[in-house]
Amino acid sequence: MSKSNLINILFIGSILFIIRLTMFPESSLNIGGEKGGINLVPFYTIGDLLFHHSFADFIVNNIGNIILFVPFGFFLSIKFKKIDSLSKGFLVGMVFSISIEIVQLFMPNRWTDIDDVILNTLGTGIGYSVFKLIKKFYKTK
């Protein structure tokens, strides 16, 4: 298998993993089991989970949303050479996340939440940055 094919498989795999967890219920993570809704107030859900729910719920939702997009950002920077800055990586992650949130508007057991967009975009940026740091480290050696 060529390096290019492997990168394509890993990039598509990261997208499919995101779709799996954002579009389909996952009872073990308490995702999609209740009636959905809409939150357009930035940081409302993050604060609500921090102050009115268990720490485990806070971690699963907030850290989970970040971690979910880290592989996407990592492989995005490998696959598309024209995405050559952190701001471009953020933009692509944000557009992808907004697309998911729009689809979730029409799903009865899903939440459309601006906080998810914020956290997913952050995850994309972290993944992008990790790849760039690794690349820089190996260039200096």
Side-chain angles (χ1 to χ4, degrees), residues 64-119:
N65 270 305
I66 294 169
I67 292 172
L68 182 62
F69 272 69
V70 169
F72 174 75
F74 186 89
F75 294 116
L76 178 71
S77 58
I78 299 170
K79 174 116 179 86
F80 299 102
K81 303 298 181 211
K82 289 191 177 192
I83 300 174
D84 56 359
S85 68
L86 183 58
S87 60
K88 288 179 184 178
F90 274 138
L91 182 62
V92 171
M94 183 177 67
V95 168
F96 183 35
S97 183
I98 289 170
S99 300
I100 289 168
E101 297 302 316
I102 289 170
V103 171
Q104 288 179 336
L105 272 170
F106 304 100
M107 301 175 77
N109 292 351
R110 306 304 302 181
W111 274 90
T112 296
D113 195 329
I114 190 67
D115 288 356
D116 289 351
V117 174
I118 293 166
L119 296 167

Side-chain angles (χ1 to χ4, degrees), residues 10-43:
L10 292 171
F11 181 67
I12 291 169
S14 73
I15 293 170
L16 292 175
F17 186 67
I18 290 168
I19 290 170
R20 165 64 182 93
L21 284 180
T22 58
M23 299 297 167
F24 300 99
E26 180 56 54
S27 60
S28 66
L29 296 174
N30 199 23
I31 297 172
E34 301 171 1
K35 186 175 187 228
I38 301 171
N39 170 45
L40 299 177
V41 179
F43 305 107

Side-chain angles (χ1 to χ4, degrees), residues 131-141:
F131 174 75
K132 292 299 181 179
L133 285 171
I134 291 170
K135 185 177 176 182
K136 184 177 180 179
F137 176 77
Y138 280 105
K139 268 189 174 179
T140 59
K141 281 196 160 201

